Amino acid sequence: MNKPIRRAAVIGSGIMGSGIAAHLANAGIPCLLLDVVPKQPTEQEAAEGLTPEHPAVRNRLATAAIAKLQTTNPPPLYDPDFAGRITPGNLEDDLPKIADADWVIEAVVENLAVKQELLARIERYLQPGTVVTSNTSGISINAMAAGRGAEFRKHFMGTHFFNPPRYMKLLEIIPGRDTDPALVARMKAFGERVLGKGVVIAKDTPNFVANRIGTYGLLVTLREMVEKGYAVEEVDAVTGPALGRPKSATFRTLDLVGLDTFRHVADNVRENVTDEAEKAAFEPPQVLMEMVARGWLGEKSGQGFYRKLKGADGGSRILSLDLASLEYGPQKKPSAGSLEAAKLAKGAAEKTKALLAGGDRYSELAWNVLKRVLVYSAAKVGEIADSALEIDNAMKWGFGWELGPFETWDAIGLVPSAQRMEREGLAVPAWVKDWIGQGHTSFYRKDNGSRFYVLDGKYAEVEERPEVISLRSLKEKGRTVKANSGASLIDLGDGVACLEFHSPNNAIGADILSMITQSVEEVRRNYEGLVVANQGKNFCVGANLMLLLMEAQDGEWDEVDAIIRRFQHTMYQLKRLDKPVVAAPHRMTLGGGVEACMPADQVIASAETYYGLVEVGVGLIPAGGGCKEFALRASQNARLPEADLQPLLNQTFETIGLAKVSSSGHDAKKLGYLRPTDRVLLNQDHLIFEAKQAVQRMAQAGYEPIPEEKIRVVGAEGKAVMQLGAIAMRESGYISDHDLKIAKKLAHVLAGGDVPAGTLVTEAYLLDLEREAFLSLCGEPKTQQRMQHMLAKGKPLRN
Ligand code: NAI
């Protein structure tokens, strides 16, 4: 029976249970959250006269967990209001309610007996076809299912989320011996499409995939450092960005995870594998045991490998632990040729090569850790996951490595490095030697835009799924229609083209504007419609400020005017294209990036989109049509003659005036940046496919270009209302004099200038107002300081 998943129940409201419930709520799935009944009322509950029988007491754990979701940072929910989709309860009174759930997720303490006993209770209330999964980080799925009925076992598997569930891409799915393979495939698709995860199918082995390799790597690193006397900060300098890995590197990661938890995870492998050498590899070093014994568990206990000290001046310093003396001392910034070379190199592959080639003690540390992790990963292919590809994905999605172990091995040269490993006494697994023996020089291969990986001694094609469109591989297949240094137009097939930005930080400069114009022409003649999307780190950080600042500092006002005219005209062309346009932003989408999305007929944003008109932060106002589009929307939303425009504009004024940036795609809707007809998608990898489909649907339905219409404005009176609000903020010290000056100009533009309320104006008129305000602000020294500061520091200056 194939029940769609519409409702869920999560058992255990701790860190993971509440985080998973939040993410289900993010995906629009209502969720019951249950936990144990507290033994007795708290003092405060007793003072309020609550007895142990009161639901507020009995549901306290889940209720408190839900409340905490709304204040945790970074936010587990896309919108704090989504907490309303989670219903608290307790395991004594509410377990029968799981009969309404299509998916029950167990996320209680990591203890086999507790989990087994709970699953037995769960089994009693299940409807046929309900999926039950465990979020265990390492306990055997088959052991958990032992004693349950056939129907239960068929619908039971592991779903291992990583913390925090909203942000970590990896979801390991672990089928048990009797799990229905069709259900596994269905849950994988659900995890990807609905929850936006990258799913790896793991085998039922201790700690599954990412934590098995990750823990091994951390232990190898610890042992190497103790043996060779490296300092904590030296190890972190080598094992972070220098190897294409997160800044938290080795020890900030361990401090965050908690040393006791880490030890527990390592023990789980040691106790459950049979190979003696492997058992030994998972033996925690003495120093770690000592730290756990002293209660130095990392961040949660205030100290671990690092310790933060608050100084008398209110500032803080971070000390590092000397593993020999177990004393904390000031950090010494490691410097060496290899680290410098890695810093300068571009991309994880080049960084790793540069680090290894340095010939110094850091190169040696990197090699001694890497070689063991690579060999271990290779030895585990087939045991923990079916392929090298799955292991690479698990490490990239679960540990934030830019390259998985096999990709790393390719990058440093499979054949020479395998020879060196053997020379140094490591046992390179037989399958790797056979593979090399067959004449292969890498685990992966590319051919005409398709990617192949090693699987059972042969190259297999990395499955290209229709919902995951890769612009890079389309370009490799020769599908570029037009290109310049900042952007390309790519043929997506089926009559749809994609405009891709690829300038540094995807900032909009003359090259991107030119490509937008060319794309509009090309699509008008030869395509059904256009997608505006890219697969860079961020969609677009805004307009390129450098040129603007230089012209402003030189007082070249005609040039500044020309730049803005060009920007406005380009966005206007995009808007008036007589074919459907869908923009698909992701992650940082700021200033001009938002203005490049606003002309689209629809926006399909990634759930992780941080979207905002932030021009005020650099002393300006949006002048690429951003203010005009907002005024137009307000006018359209208050179409009835008696409808009040003012509140809509007040909200816009506040959003732009305070340079608000959304904390998610859903929040962008709440802030009014996205329209109700715009969509938010949890899986960023699916954006271009969905945008293409939307374009096709509009084209098939007989797309009619949006005719230009007059905009009703609030005029002088409405401007005064907005300005009054800004003055009040100045008086209460919330904004600066310069902020107030900018706000007044913003109010002027949004209000449509000094015309009488209700006047109908044209788009061109509002664009002129935008441009005038922008130009005059460019001449302000404080605005120039703000721009300069942003270019130098990457953050806004308050002046
Ligand atoms: P936690 O300690 O934050 O939460 C555990 C929850 O289990 C608590 O709400 C507690 O009230 C409940 N509980 C305790 N005893 C119980 C019992 N006898 N019956 C029913 N419920 C009981 O732990 P956390 O971190 O949320 O872990 C939950 C599960 O998720 C564990 O299996 C853990 O291994 C796994 N996990 C943890 C990750 C992490 O980073 N913390 C990551 C991935 C998986």
Side-chain angles (χ1 to χ4, degrees), residues 606-640:
S606 157
E608 298 301 343
T609 303
Y610 317 121
Y611 200 82
L613 289 170
V614 293
E615 284 80 353
V616 168
V618 287
L620 298 167
I621 63 152
C627 293
K628 179 260 292 180
E629 283 299 315
F630 259 113
L632 172 64
R633 288 179 189 181
S635 166
Q636 288 172 333
N637 289 335
R639 221 185 267 285
L640 296 175

Side-chain angles (χ1 to χ4, degrees), residues 11-17 35-36 61 91 106-111 114-115 117-118 134-138 160-163 211:
I11 321 283
S13 66
I15 296 179
M16 290 309 290
D35 212 316
V36 292
L61 291 186
L91 278 165
E106 171 281 308
V108 303
V109 283
E110 187 78 341
N111 176 309
V114 172
K115 288 187 192 279
E117 191 261 345
L118 179 65
S134 168
N135 184 58
T136 174
S137 23
H160 181 207
F161 286 86
F162 281 63
N163 189 29
N211 281 344

Side-chain angles (χ1 to χ4, degrees), residues 190-259:
F190 181 86
E192 290 169 348
R193 191 175 54 78
V194 181
L195 302 179
K197 296 292 141 205
V199 175
V200 163
I201 303 291
K203 296 193 186 260
D204 190 15
T205 52
N207 294 7
F208 315 124
V209 183
N211 281 344
R212 178 76 165 264
I213 305 286
T215 312
Y216 180 85
L218 289 167
L219 286 166
V220 162
T221 311
L222 261 171
R223 223 168 283 125
E224 186 69 16
M225 99 183 262
V226 171
E227 215 171 280
K228 309 268 168 68
Y230 289 96
V232 163
E233 57 268 35
E234 288 182 308
V235 172
D236 276 359
V238 171
T239 56
L243 279 176
R245 299 187 187 168
K247 277 203 204 105
S248 52
T250 297
F251 293 113
R252 272 166 61 196
T253 303
L254 277 175
D255 276 355
L256 206 68
V257 167
L259 270 55

Side-chain angles (χ1 to χ4, degrees), residues 585-609:
H586 65 277
R587 305 200 77 90
M588 261 164 35
T589 303
L590 304 174
V594 170
E595 289 175 311
C597 293
M598 291 187 96
D601 297 288
Q602 192 183 24
V603 174
I604 301 184
S606 157
E608 298 301 343
T609 303

